[in-house]
Every structure is written in C-alpha cells, then in structure tokens.
Amino acid sequence: MNNSKEDKYIEKIRELKKERKTIILAHNYQRPEIQDIADLVGDSLDLSRKAAATDAEVIVFCGVHFMAESAAILSPEKTVLLPVREAGCQLADMITVQELRKKKEENPQAAVVCYVNSSAEVKAESDICCTSANGIGVVNSLKENRILFVPDGHLGRYLASKTKKEFIFWKGFCPTHYNLLSEDILRAKEEHPQAKVLVHPECRLSVIDLADEALSTNGILEYVKKSEAKEFIIGTEMGIIHRLKKENPNKKFYPASENLICPSMKLITLKEIAQSLEEMRYKIEIPEEIRKRAKKSLNRMLAV
Ligand code: CIZ
C-alpha cells in the first residue's frame, strides 16, 4: 500500500475510534502497521483481560476469531468486532463440541484441559483453560491424574513431557508451527551460532528439543528483554519480530524459517479496520449460556 493511502486509512481509523469509544487490540502476530496503530499489542488473553478493564464501548480485535471471542467472553457489555470474518484459526477448527463430548464420554475420569486457542463452545465444554505460558501450572493444579488435552496435540505432548500426568492427546495442530522442522533449526543455528533459539510450545517436540527455551509470545518478549544475548533465532509466527526489534533496537532477530507466517493473521489490513469501524462489522455474538460456561473455564485457570 502506498503511503498516502495508508495515511488516509490511519486518519479514518483515528477519527472513528474516538467517535465510537473504541480500543484497538493487536495480537503479537499481526502486520507491523497494525501493531503500530493499536492501543495494545500482546497475546490473546492478556489483551482481552486488559480491554475488559477499560471503559471502551467497542473492542476491535486484530487477531483471529477465537481471540475476539475471548474478548467477548470477558466483556459482555462491550461490542467486539473482528475486522475480517474469514480470520479463523485452523487449530481451533480442528475440534467440534460434538467430537469433544464423545471423547469425554469415552474418558469419564479425565479432566478436560483446553488450550485458549479454541472456540467459546469448546471452552464451555471443558473443565479448565490454559495458555502456553501457564499450561504446566494448570495441569499440576488438577486432582485428576488423567488429562484430556484439546485441541493442540503438540502443546499437549510438551506439557506431558513436563508433568507426571497421563495425557490423552487431541489430533489438532497449528499448521504454521507444525511446518517448522528440526532441519530449519539446525540450519539457523549453523548460520547464527551465537544466537539463542526461542520457539513456541506449539512446535513439534523434535524442534523444542533443539531450542534454548520454549515460550509463549509474551514469554519470548520478556526473555529477550532480560537476556544478555544479542542475537535470537525466533521459532514462532514472524509478526512478533516487529515488536522484538522495536523493543530491543540493539539486538538481532532471525526467523527460524521463512515459512513462519500464519495466513489468517495477515488477513487484517488498515483498510479492513477502517471499514470495520465504519460499518461496525463483524460483531462477535456468543449465546449467554455458552459465554458463562466458557468464562467459568477461563476463571478457573485465572484462579490457578
Ligand atoms: O493465545 C495467544 O495469544 C497465542 C496464540 C499464543 C501465545 O503464545 O501468545
């Protein structure tokens, strides 16, 4: 997009934002220009919690569908907009509530732990939620020894390797993280031998085994800020590199692979945000009964 067009959309967004008492949230994986116009940048839960604590009347969530749902679960009195209807999450779509109910029937003794990357309906059907940052603590807090972990089989395997619980894994995966291979890490390490390797726990265990740390997006940001190291190989969606560079201008960042791009995260543009605010679209609506039960699973996690 040329600069004058970009400026026109930024101006429109600022104007509408004021008029509609709006807060704009951008996930760490969003395009740089979206992160730059957002009021807050972060992970999905952190953004949703912070937005809930504001007096904004409208939340524009620049992320994917389940993230906007999390904001709507925590802020029922606010209007939550997802600028692009098609911005879904392939991982979250790898489980339906009917499939989950069937698996629960087959495993009545298991506690259902659901990664926040899931629909409101799946959260509502689970005992407790977790994030990639607090998963170990959540699993260890449960009295049950059997854990039915949904929907991310890779995060599940990582948590199983860090706890003593017996896991039943779901077959879901994040295609962006799944495509990162150990060969990519080995190549990046050869090219940048001084660099620390930070990967997301949605990666395969073979990739995590080669990394210095497996961390959530906010975990990566915190680690880099505190680290004495000057170079980092980043094994998660490369949108995060914009924020890493901005917050650490004297450090260097290399994506572990050029394929670390989530197509859904890139659907949102400045033009889409301006249109979203102008037309108040696309509103996230969650039936109240589902919202309340999903909130219970999130609250149980927050209590841990
Ligand atoms: O929930 C989030 O924000 C995601 C997808 C990952 C993370 O580690 O922040």
Side-chain angles (χ1 to χ4, degrees), residues 6 13 41 78 99 151 161 185 204 217 221 278:
E6 199 165 280
I13 291 166
V41 183
K78 302 190 201 304
E99 289 170 322
S161 76
I185 303 289
R204 299 160 186 255
T217 56
L221 287 150
E278 192 153 63

Side-chain angles (χ1 to χ4, degrees), residues 19 48 86 104 115 120 130 134 144 222 234 250 259 301:
E19 221 171 87
S48 301
E86 296 74 26
K104 278 170 67 171
Y115 185 29
C130 81
N134 65 22
E144 291 89 345
E222 267 170 48
I234 303 298
N250 300 322
N259 299 327
M301 166 190 80

Side-chain angles (χ1 to χ4, degrees), residues 188-189 192-197 212 229-233 252 254:
K189 277 173 108 163
H192 310 288
Q194 307 301 326
K196 289 266 178 215
V197 180
D212 291 292
K230 292 280 175 247
E231 294 179 55
F232 302 86
I233 293 162
K252 285 195 170 142
Y254 314 106

Side-chain angles (χ1 to χ4, degrees), residues 154-201:
H154 291 278
L155 178 62
R157 281 177 182 83
Y158 171 70
L159 297 177
S161 76
K162 299 280 174 197
T163 62
K164 294 199 167 68
K165 304 273 179 167
E166 185 193 320
F167 272 65
I168 304 152
F169 302 114
W170 199 261
K171 54 192 181 302
F173 60 93
C174 159
T176 306
H177 289 103
Y178 181 75
N179 286 335
L180 181 64
L181 303 175
S182 28
E183 293 93 281
D184 296 314
I185 303 289
L186 292 172
R187 192 182 320 112
K189 277 173 108 163
E190 214 173 282
E191 285 169 13
H192 310 288
Q194 307 301 326
K196 289 266 178 215
V197 180
L198 310 178
V199 303
H200 197 277

Side-chain angles (χ1 to χ4, degrees), residues 140-159:
N140 282 335
S141 76
L142 298 170
K143 65 175 189 321
E144 291 89 345
N145 189 46
R146 293 198 95 194
I147 307 293
L148 170 56
F149 190 84
V150 298
D152 189 340
H154 291 278
L155 178 62
R157 281 177 182 83
Y158 171 70
L159 297 177

Side-chain angles (χ1 to χ4, degrees), residues 27-29 42-45 66-67 115-117 131-133 200-202 215-218 265:
H27 189 267
N28 290 322
Y29 296 156
D43 70 31
S44 62
L45 189 70
F66 81 83
M67 300 182 173
Y115 185 29
V116 286
N117 292 34
T131 66
S132 52
H200 197 277
E202 286 176 25
L215 298 163
S216 66
T217 56
N218 278 4
M265 279 284 175

Side-chain angles (χ1 to χ4, degrees), residues 259-276:
N259 299 327
L260 281 164
I261 299 174
C262 167
S264 295
M265 279 284 175
K266 304 303 186 232
L267 287 175
I268 296 173
T269 61
L270 291 171
K271 183 177 171 192
E272 304 283 355
I273 300 175
Q275 275 175 355
S276 168

